[in-house]
Amino acid sequence: MVRESGFDMVPRLSGYEDQEIWEEFIEHVQTVYKDESAFKIKADYMVFEEGKQLLLPLEGHKFLRFSSIPDDDSHVEFHINLVTDIARDYFGSRVRSWQSALGESGYYSEEEVNDSYRLYEQLPISIYGLLFEVRVIPGKGRGLIARFDIPAGTQIFCEKPLLVASTMSPGNLEATAAPRLKALSKSEQQEFLSLHNSFPGEDPFSGIIRTNALPCGPGSIVGAVYPTLSLINHSCLPNSHNNWDSKANHGTIHAIGPIKAGEEITISYDEGGPSNVRKHKLKMSFGFDCACSLCSLSPSELQASDDRRVRIQQLYASIGNASTMRNNPNSSLKDCLSLLHTLQEEYGACAAPYIARLYYNAFEICISHGDVGRAITFADRSYRGRLICEGEDSPETSRMKSFALEPKKHGSFGAFSTRWKTGEEKAPNGNGTVQFEKWLFRQDS
């Protein structure tokens, strides 16, 4: 058995602030290893020549993992432990250490890690704002295109809105928007007026808002219009996720799956459902006929997707049934497992936002019956999903992290029963193994 160990950076680094901290970390490592002959500084990365792929890039946004296979005849394990400790001093809980000998595995897939290694020798670029470029896309107008490979979990950018408006009738929205637009600078007014309007007519301002506003939170009736973020086009299988950060009052875009250089960055404008429902809503709300990769599948493939989407809606409804959760929590947890498999089949590598919600549902089921051990695992998995699609600073990410650390503080702790009462010590080793998953979802109960 290969005994690999190391640490992953979760979520990956992005933005000026992260890069500044990374540079301090790199300088610290250089100082510690300045007299080590096996430590080399290349043009774009640092390497420990005693281990396989013990590399640290000079640009933090390229980094995902520091790991190797410890060798009895070298100092590889010492290097891994020391660099891990230094990294924790700078990045805290974002440093996720693991050892394959203990049945643990890294957070990122081998494909994602190998993709990140290939970035190490790319010429340095600005960390912020140049992950994408705006292009005219045939049949869509302007959109955002990735300039190079972007791994999942990357914050592509964040942006303050030009204006925020509540959902209302076009006439009222027009009257409300006019004075707000007048208060903007000339350049901001030009940015607003340059946005696409799917509803031209007597109310041009409200048409632009209706076409481009993104909700300020799930289910919010308040929407925000942005100069760049509003240019991102829709896909029913998006590779990115938009989120409203209520603390910072700005919108963020995170890659929820790996995005290849030259690929369009997309988000979802709708809440799912079968293709006929999605297309109708998109046409009515945004004025376009969806021709994304999912909607362009062959009839048989599209029907299979529609069946999964309907199944997803049914499972969400079943999981949300309070009576079942109270009286038959095993059934609710079984539905969670079925939903997990269906989401993975439907969304593939871009399922993080949906799975984060699912794991929180599973957390609520367990904590409401006093099962702290499983609740901790589900909250941690929800937290990890939120890290990918919303980042560390998101209020919802922070909330999931707090439940993973102190699950009993959730308002539903023991609310239905204590029939599943456990402590943290009840969780077995081997997170992610088949045996662990059976325990987690109570498949043997």
Side-chain angles (χ1 to χ4, degrees), residues 346-398:
E346 177 66 8
Y347 292 97
C350 297
Y354 314 99
I355 290 179
R357 173 186 171 186
L358 157 69
Y359 281 138
Y360 178 64
N361 292 149
F363 164 83
E364 287 187 305
I365 294 167
C366 291
I367 203 65
S368 65
H369 290 281
D371 190 341
V372 175
R374 289 176 177 82
I376 288 173
T377 300
F378 282 128
D380 182 66
R381 290 186 178 185
S382 181
Y383 162 66
R384 293 187 184 202
R386 292 292 173 190
L387 281 176
I388 291 174
C389 59
E390 297 181 9
E392 184 78 56
D393 297 332
S394 159
E396 189 64 16
T397 302
S398 299

Side-chain angles (χ1 to χ4, degrees), residues 224-236:
V225 178
Y226 306 85
T228 305
L229 202 153
S230 290
L231 299 178
I232 302 177
N233 288 312
H234 164 83
S235 172
C236 297

